Each structure stands twice: as C-alpha cells, then as structure tokens.
C-alpha cells in the first residue's frame, strides 16, 4: 500500500516547481525519490517530517532511516579518493 508524500525543494536558487506530491511505498523509497529531486529536499508524510535529502542535506544520519545518501556524480567531492588507472 502506498502513501502520499510531499517533497519541498529548499535549494537557494530554486527555479520551477518548489513543491510536489507523489505516492511512494515506504519512507525509504520517498527519501530515495527526494534525493533525486534537488540539492536539498525535505520529505514529509502528512505532518511528519521524514528527513532532508540531496547533495546539500545536513550530515545527520537520522534524516535517512534507510541509511542511504544520494549520490551526485557532478559534485566536486563525488570522485574524491577514486583511483584512476
């Protein structure tokens, strides 16, 4: 059974849609989707804040109950520590 989640973009330079409502199966799925919507996205289930995800999200592990972080391959830190052949 899916629930309705609200995604609020908190980007400093947000353009276009700043808030969207989508249906997701679980909180973890909603956090995964939210991480793909912008650099800093708040995920809400009704009045309950699930967390903040995205490249500029706070470094608080409790914000993502699934223990995942979104990966932005375009960020300067994304490839730090990767060995090149």
């Amino acid at each position: 059974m899916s629930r309705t989640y609200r995604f609020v973009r908190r980007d400093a330079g947000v353009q276009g849609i700043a808030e969207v409502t989508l249906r997701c199966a679980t909180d973890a799925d909603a956090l995964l989707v939210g991480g793909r919507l912008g650099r800093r996205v708040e995920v809400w289930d009704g009045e309950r804040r699930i967390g903040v995800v995205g490249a500029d999200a706070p470094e608080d592990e409790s914000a993502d109950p699934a223990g995942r972080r979104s990966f932005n391959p375009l960020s300067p830190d994304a490839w730090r520590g990767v060995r090149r052949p």
Side-chain angles (χ1 to χ4, degrees):
M1 176 184 245
S2 63
R3 295 192 312 256
T4 302
Y5 291 87
R6 186 168 46 103
F7 301 88
V8 182
R9 290 177 51 191
R10 299 290 185 197
D11 301 8
V14 69
Q15 293 181 351
I17 298 173
E19 185 174 321
V20 65
T21 302
L22 299 170
R23 296 187 64 80
C24 297
T26 65
D27 290 353
D29 289 343
L31 290 168
L32 184 63
V33 169
R36 305 293 186 243
L37 295 176
R39 296 178 51 98
R40 181 165 157 55
V41 178
E42 289 182 359
V43 181
W44 294 83
D45 178 13
E47 295 297 318
R48 182 174 62 105
R49 181 176 167 188
I50 303 300
V52 180
V53 292
D56 291 343
E59 294 295 325
D60 182 5
E61 291 295 326
S62 66
D64 185 357
R68 295 184 305 242
R69 291 187 186 177
S70 64
F71 177 71
N72 179 359
L74 302 177
S75 76
D77 297 331
W79 300 100
R80 182 175 290 155
V82 174
R83 293 183 186 181
R84 295 188 175 124

